[in-house]
Amino acid sequence: MKVSVVSRSGREVVKGGIQLSDSASVADLQDAIHKRTKKFYPARQRLTLPVQPGSKERPTVLNSKKSLREYCSDNSDSITVVFKDLGPQVSYRTLFFFEYLGPLILYPIFYYFPVYQFFGYKAERVIHPVQTYAMYYWCFHYFKRIMETFFVHRFSHATSPLSNVFRNCAYYWSFGSYIAYYVNHPLYTPVGDLQMKIGFAFGLLCQVSNFYCHILLRKLRSPEGNGGYQIPKGFLFNIVTCANYTTEIYQWVGFNIATQTFAGYVFLVVAALIMTNWALAKHRRLKKLFDGKEGRPKYPRRWVILPPFL
């Protein structure tokens, strides 16, 4: 089988094309492209079928696990694929590890070390119980997320663009420092004891619930990370499409009830907006896939992310 590999402009990416056996898979083609181009390893390749100029149809993306023959028309012995360089890639586990590691390390620095002396506060700092509990709560959350990254989550895509590491780290590390600075500040005024206990108790309940949501989502995918879209079921997923995002948001509600800082509420609002956008997109996707037609199940009526608001 002769495979012509071209760019979206039609320029030949691999001179002379690639000759493969009739039983070759898309993964074999990606390996062959890598051998001929060196820097374009399989993870940074996106291969699609050509589309007609001016067509508004989305191109068909080649699945690495499928045979190339499945994409050939009329048993042809040749095929043209369109190549796109996705840029340098990193594994999702690497991405999540570094974005969560920053807040896990930075927050205790503001709690344990005299950093406020560099900001002009020379007097001895009095540590309130809520600041200690907040530090444990915070570290537990990000330690949990790192452990979930390595032992719970299954990813539908193996890699992410390297640029996302810098973007995500900037988000998590800056907010981690911003919140830690104010919660551990020498002039911090703690909330009442009852409010603190209610906030942390509610937040911990949501953290445990969030972990269970991730366990349920794990069961929807095979160990290889595939399995396609499925309707999440069980626990809070019976009433909320993105129960994992719901519990994530509400656990920060609990944290802010207990600590009561402007920085914490800014983080809560920004995180809620980001996750709401993800949840709306996933809800629309699931409703479109499971429309009840042609034997497909119909997606049940559910809240999207934040009962009783959305």
Side-chain angles (χ1 to χ4, degrees):
M1 178 187 295
K2 175 71 175 297
V3 183
S4 299
V5 184
V6 300
S7 67
R8 285 183 290 181
S9 64
R11 180 181 60 83
E12 203 172 25
V13 175
V14 179
K15 299 297 183 182
I18 296 173
Q19 194 70 37
L20 295 171
S21 68
D22 288 345
S23 60
S25 65
V26 175
D28 294 329
L29 172 59
Q30 290 178 313
D31 289 336
I33 293 173
H34 182 210
K35 289 179 181 178
R36 296 280 297 273
T37 58
K38 300 303 180 184
K39 75 173 184 177
F40 297 134
Y41 48 86
R44 66 183 289 176
Q45 299 176 28
R46 182 177 185 264
L47 303 178
T48 61
L49 295 179
V51 295
Q52 294 297 324
S55 173
K56 295 183 179 180
E57 292 184 8
R58 299 185 67 177
T60 301
V61 180
L62 275 59
N63 187 326
S64 62
K65 295 181 175 62
K66 290 187 176 182
S67 168
L68 269 175
R69 178 62 65 185
E70 295 184 41
Y71 297 101
C72 293
S73 59
D74 301 325
N75 294 321
S76 174
D77 288 330
S78 65
I79 184 175
T80 298
V81 299
V82 179
F83 170 90
K84 179 182 179 182
D85 176 21
L86 298 177
Q89 302 284 302
V90 296
S91 72
Y92 269 99
R93 286 187 171 86
T94 299
L95 169 66
F96 289 163
F97 173 74
F98 281 106
E99 70 182 38
Y100 299 150
L101 182 65
L104 181 62
I105 293 175
L106 290 170
Y107 194 102
I109 290 176
F110 286 87
Y111 177 83
Y112 284 110
F113 296 97
V115 295
Y116 294 96
Q117 291 183 5
F118 298 102
F119 298 99
Y121 298 95
K122 302 299 182 180
E124 184 176 353
R125 182 166 65 101
V126 176
I127 298 178
H128 303 284
V130 64
Q131 294 172 311
T132 301
Y133 297 143
M135 193 269 296
Y136 290 148
Y137 183 101
W138 181 278
C139 291
F140 172 74
H141 170 75
Y142 283 102
F143 178 77
K144 176 182 80 73
R145 294 186 77 161
I146 290 175
M147 292 298 101
E148 288 173 340
T149 296
F150 288 103
F151 302 110
V152 177
H153 294 322
R154 289 173 175 167
F155 303 99
S156 57
H157 300 287
T159 61
S160 172
L162 177 63
S163 59
N164 286 350
V165 174
F166 303 103
R167 182 197 64 188
N168 291 16
C169 285
Y171 170 79
Y172 281 101
W173 293 31
S174 59
F175 263 120
S177 300
Y178 181 42
I179 296 169
Y181 174 83
Y182 283 103
V183 174
N184 296 289
H185 199 280
L187 301 181
Y188 173 78
T189 302
V191 300
D193 189 61
L194 179 60
Q195 181 176 334
M196 176 191 71
K197 291 178 179 178
I198 291 174
F200 283 136
F202 176 70
L204 284 172
L205 176 63
C206 290
Q207 288 219 47
V208 174
S209 299
N210 180 256
F211 173 74
Y212 186 56
C213 288
H214 289 157
I215 293 294
L216 293 177
L217 290 175
R218 172 188 171 86
K219 295 178 180 178
L220 297 180
R221 295 191 184 277
S222 69
E224 293 77 27
N226 51 34
Y229 287 102
Q230 299 182 47
I231 298 177
K233 297 177 182 177
F235 192 45
L236 297 176
F237 285 110
N238 290 334
I239 57 175
V240 185
T241 293
C242 293
N244 51 322
Y245 296 154
T246 302
T247 50
E248 177 78 15
I249 291 171
Y250 280 128
Q251 71 184 11
W252 289 119
V253 171
F255 178 85
N256 282 294
I257 289 173
T259 56
Q260 206 88 326
T261 64
F262 178 75
Y265 281 111
V266 170
F267 176 61
L268 171 62
V269 170
V270 173
L273 289 174
I274 292 172
M275 285 184 277
T276 297
N277 186 49
W278 293 343
L280 288 169
K282 184 172 184 179
H283 189 76
R284 287 192 296 265
R285 192 182 306 120
L286 289 172
K287 287 186 70 176
K288 183 178 180 180
L289 287 171
F290 302 103
D291 54 8
K293 301 177 181 178
E294 299 178 0
R296 292 184 293 269
K298 185 172 180 60
Y299 194 74
R301 183 178 178 84
R302 291 177 177 174
W303 298 103
V304 179
I305 183 173
L306 292 174
F309 307 109
L310 184 62

